[in-house]
Amino acid sequence: GQGLGLRESAIRGTVEVGAPIITSTLTTVAIFLPIFFMEGAVGVLFRQLALVVAFALFCSLMVSLTVVPMLAGNLPEKAGRGRDAPAWARAAERIQDKLADWYHQLLVAAVSRKWAVFAVVALLTAGSAWLFPRLGQEFFPQADESQVTVRIDVDPELQLESLDEIVAAIEPMIPELVPELRNMELDMGRRAWIPGLSGRIRINLVSVSQRSRSSGEIAAALQRELDIFPGVRLRVAASGEAFNVRRLGVGGEDGERLAMEISGFDLAALDAVAAQVTQRIEDIPGVVGTRVSRETGAPRLAARIDRERAADLGFHPERIARDLQTLVGGSRAGRLRGQDGSEVDIWVRLQEARSLGREDLLNLAFISGDGRAVALQNFVSFESERGATQILRRNQQRVNTVSIDIGGRPSGDVAEDIREEIFNIPLPDNIQVAIRGDYEEQQRAFRALLISLILALVLVYMVMACLYESLRDPLIVMLSVPLAASGGLLALWLTNTTLNVQSYIGFIMLIGIVVNNAILIVNQANSIRQSGGSAQSAAVEAARIRFRPIIMTMLTTILALSPLAIGWGDGGEAQAGLARVVVGGLLSSSVITLFLIPCVYPLFHWRQTESIRE
């Protein structure tokens, strides 16, 4: 302030900006209130973010209204001011003055041609509406976590030695095919949820900055090169979901991000529908592999008892089943107590039972009730079949699942194509098909985030209406929100970023951030208008006065988010969507708001409007 000391200037400046600072802080805090009460995976992931940001904003508000004025008021009178300032500071001051002059000239021209400004805003809004459905959608972004997993599934009848031979053949091929290899981890055996034997090779890659290929490209190349073993189901996938998301149980294992769940009561009908679904979706772009949970079962011999023949020979079916169990699988005959008091089960089984073939079993002699030895083939026959290793149920219905590996496209887009494709499949009675996995979580999260977005808009308007004691001025401020949405969508499109949970959180954050610039202009215009100026001249003068703080806050926020928006480092893409939305929305909203708000403000206060005198 000219003619005022530093202390008086600090006090007057604090009083002048106190109301807009409080308003902008409360509006920013208000947008995080719905996030804090969200449920599900999104609530777990972002509740801490809402709490930390809200607390930090309150602390920042206290510091800006107390500590900062105190420090500013106790600076030396001429320290760093005028001719005593460094050369770079004087140069920066001249640049700011020049920019402010250019902006004022452009603003005067824009205010005199309001409808041109409104046309540009309408064009941007229409462009964002056109752009929105063309963005890819997924639950969480696929990030390069420098890890690729090779999973080998073999038929249940093969032994562990056979799987070991296959893995031993694949293992030396990987260093030759993947020069980006850092190390490997290997495990194999039988898993409870997978029929047959399964091996897994986890390939850890060097950092993203040290290689030219992404983990997805490496996985695709490995799939082509290793798919040479007959009778082996080999799947290669890049581990691309954030670790904290996997800990919540969201998304599939080893790159599986979608699953088609076929439910009903008839297992044969479930298998038939699963085969149709697999055939229909294999050619959809983005589907790189499928696996049916019931496509392979364990081989077994089913014993068919001729009950009438067995009864004539003096055999009861229950006894036949019990004796077969004892001969082949073994049964507990008692317990042996040791000298130290320990007990060990005594099991009885036919010697070399595992090496017996079908003919050997049929030739076994069973003793009938009257003491006769009768060959088993006289009343029992064996049939080869495959039995289910497990029967999954959901809501008391049997379930067959088609797991789908996704690559090269967002999972949400692939899921939409799959939905359209399977819609035409004729389903038997009492059979339902549903999409599970990421798509299910995505739909649930997007609905919750949409509600949070609407609540954030309502809360921001209510806070400003209470503080302004007006319904018109908050509407002026809220006009900056669509401009921010346009910039955020454009930023996603230019950077080839999908619309995901992180992006949605970025749009919600934008609501509280971008209104701060409009609040500064509207609050300053109200103060000028109370001094007797017209609404139009007050709006132009307020925009000129607030030009520097608006540009400064915009640049500081953009510079702070730039490293996150670039997505440096392993897994950097996981958080990049949020930062890109905020950077793009803040850039577009700040620039256009500086011209739109001065044009709109007089329309809401038309009784005080008069021409600008240049």
Side-chain angles (χ1 to χ4, degrees):
Q2 297 179 352
L4 296 176
L6 284 178
R7 293 191 176 183
E8 291 78 5
S9 298
I11 294 173
R12 177 174 293 186
T14 304
V15 173
E16 182 177 339
V17 301
I21 288 178
I22 293 173
T23 303
S24 60
T25 301
L26 292 179
T27 55
T28 307
V29 171
I31 67 169
F32 288 100
L33 191 61
I35 299 177
F36 186 78
F37 291 102
M38 288 183 64
E39 298 180 352
V42 178
V44 173
L45 290 172
F46 295 103
R47 189 172 293 121
Q48 292 84 356
L49 172 67
L51 182 63
V52 169
V53 173
F55 185 75
L57 286 172
F58 273 118
C59 293
S60 175
L61 176 63
M62 295 299 103
V63 171
S64 63
L65 294 179
T66 56
V67 178
V68 172
M70 182 269 293
L71 294 176
N74 286 278
L75 289 173
E77 283 290 334
K78 295 184 179 180
R81 301 177 64 193
R83 296 181 179 179
D84 297 328
W88 62 267
R90 295 197 301 270
E93 183 73 18
R94 288 194 297 270
I95 293 174
Q96 293 180 29
D97 292 339
K98 193 66 175 177
L99 287 176
D101 292 339
W102 286 348
Y103 165 68
H104 187 255
Q105 295 174 10
L106 291 174
L107 178 59
V108 171
V111 170
S112 61
R113 299 172 180 84
K114 294 184 178 65
W115 299 113
V117 176
F118 297 155
V120 172
V121 172
L123 186 62
L124 288 175
T125 305
S128 63
W130 175 85
L131 198 60
F132 179 78
R134 287 163 176 79
L135 292 175
Q137 297 188 15
E138 58 186 342
F139 182 46
F140 268 86
Q142 188 80 359
D144 190 334
E145 295 182 349
S146 299
Q147 193 175 91
V148 173
T149 301
V150 180
R151 201 171 84 183
I152 308 106
D153 297 329
V154 297
D155 290 335
E157 62 263 25
L158 295 181
Q159 302 300 318
L160 186 61
E161 292 78 9
S162 302
L163 175 63
D164 185 51
E165 294 175 1
I166 296 171
V167 174
I170 293 176
E171 193 173 0
M173 299 172 62
I174 293 178
E176 300 177 3
L177 298 173
V178 186
E180 301 92 343
L181 174 69
R182 184 162 54 105
N183 56 57
M184 290 188 298
E185 304 171 17
L186 171 64
D187 68 87
M188 57 183 177
R190 190 180 301 276
R191 292 180 173 86
W193 64 91
I194 300 175
L197 296 170
S198 177
R200 181 168 57 185
I201 303 175
R202 194 181 299 276
I203 304 171
N204 297 312
L205 308 172
V206 297
S207 176
V208 176
S209 59
Q210 300 175 0
R211 50 187 165 90
S212 58
R213 295 190 300 174
S214 67
S215 59
E217 293 171 341
I218 294 173
L222 271 179
Q223 182 75 52
R224 292 191 300 268
E225 296 293 336
L226 297 180
D227 199 9
I228 56 175
F229 297 91
V232 176
R233 295 178 300 279
L234 189 140
R235 299 168 48 250
V236 185
S239 301
E241 293 171 321
F243 176 70
N244 56 352
V245 181
R246 287 200 299 268
R247 290 185 62 184
L248 294 174
V250 177
E253 180 192 15
D254 301 338
E256 292 178 4
R257 311 190 74 184
L258 286 178
M260 301 298 301
E261 185 181 88
I262 302 106
S263 58
F265 298 99
D266 188 347
L267 289 178
L270 294 181
D271 295 342
V273 174
Q276 293 183 43
V277 169
T278 303
Q279 183 180 6
R280 289 288 189 95
I281 67 177
E282 282 182 341
D283 295 332
I284 293 178
V287 176
V288 297
T290 60
R291 191 186 77 251
V292 181
S293 61
R294 282 176 41 81
E295 67 182 352
T296 57
R300 67 183 184 184
L301 284 176
R304 309 298 182 188
I305 301 174
D306 188 338
R307 292 178 176 267
E308 294 183 0
R309 181 63 175 163
D312 293 340
L313 295 173
F315 293 97
H316 193 278
E318 182 180 355
R319 180 193 166 190
I320 297 172
R322 185 172 62 250
D323 291 347
L324 279 174
Q325 170 65 35
T326 301
L327 291 172
V328 179
S331 62
R332 191 163 65 93
R335 299 178 70 85
L336 176 64
R337 183 183 297 274
Q339 294 181 355
D340 58 353
S342 61
E343 293 184 349
V344 180
D345 291 336
I346 301 173
W347 282 82
V348 178
R349 190 179 67 178
L350 188 66
Q351 189 176 11
E352 303 297 334
R354 296 190 61 179
S355 62
L356 292 177
R358 181 185 307 187
E359 296 300 325
D360 297 326
L361 289 173
L362 290 174
N363 290 328
L364 291 175
F366 277 50
I367 305 300
S368 64
D370 55 3
R372 292 180 299 165
V374 182
L376 188 63
Q377 61 185 350
N378 290 304
F379 50 87
V380 173
S381 61
F382 289 105
E383 296 179 5
S384 298
E385 62 179 28
R386 287 184 177 269
T389 57
Q390 61 180 351
I391 298 178
L392 300 177
R393 287 180 172 85
R394 180 191 286 265
N395 298 328
Q396 300 181 352
Q397 288 186 322
R398 293 174 175 178
V399 172
N400 194 0
T401 303
V402 180
S403 300
I404 306 168
D405 298 330
I406 303 299
R409 287 186 70 198
S411 59
D413 294 353
V414 177
E416 290 295 336
D417 291 346
I418 291 174
R419 178 185 291 277
E420 294 179 3
E421 187 66 33
I422 66 172
F423 180 77
N424 298 322
I425 296 178
L427 298 177
D429 294 337
N430 300 321
I431 299 293
Q432 297 85 35
V433 179
I435 302 179
R436 304 294 184 188
D438 272 16
Y439 183 74
E440 184 182 23
E441 292 293 334
Q442 171 192 318
Q443 296 298 99
R444 185 181 298 114
F446 280 14
R447 285 193 296 268
L449 288 169
L450 181 60
I451 294 174
S452 298
L453 186 67
I454 296 172
L455 287 176
L457 288 170
V458 174
L459 289 174
V460 167
Y461 181 82
M462 291 173 61
V463 168
M464 289 190 295
C466 293
L467 295 176
Y468 279 123
E469 296 182 355
S470 169
L471 297 178
R472 291 182 300 179
D473 290 342
L475 287 176
I476 302 174
V477 173
M478 296 298 289
L479 290 175
S480 59
V481 174
L483 304 177
S486 301
L489 291 172
L490 183 60
L492 293 179
W493 183 69
L494 291 176
T495 57
N496 196 27
T497 306
T498 60
L499 186 63
N500 50 65
V501 171
Q502 296 283 357
S503 306
Y504 254 109
I505 295 295
F507 281 111
I508 294 175
M509 292 177 62
L510 265 182
I511 297 173
I513 296 175
V514 300
V515 297
N516 296 338
N517 296 333
I519 288 173
L520 289 175
I521 297 177
V522 172
N523 189 81
Q524 184 69 33
N526 288 340
S527 299
I528 296 174
R529 193 163 52 85
Q530 290 175 359
S531 302
S534 68
Q536 187 164 293
S537 60
V540 173
E541 181 64 16
R544 186 190 65 80
I545 295 174
R546 296 304 185 192
F547 173 74
R548 290 189 183 184
I550 288 175
I551 295 299
M552 289 171 61
T553 55
M554 178 192 70
L555 292 178
T556 53
T557 305
I558 290 176
L559 290 175
L561 289 174
S562 292
L564 191 61
I566 295 173
W568 280 327
D570 296 351
E573 300 91 340
Q575 303 288 339
L578 184 150
R580 289 167 184 171
V581 167
V582 175
V583 169
L586 186 60
L587 183 62
S588 65
S589 177
S590 298
V591 173
I592 301 176
T593 296
L594 286 169
F595 295 95
L596 178 64
I597 298 301
C599 293
V600 172
Y601 185 86
L603 300 180
F604 282 79
H605 300 275
W606 57 274
R607 293 182 179 178
Q608 292 89 10
T609 302
E610 62 182 31
S611 301
I612 301 177
R613 297 195 182 109
E614 300 184 15

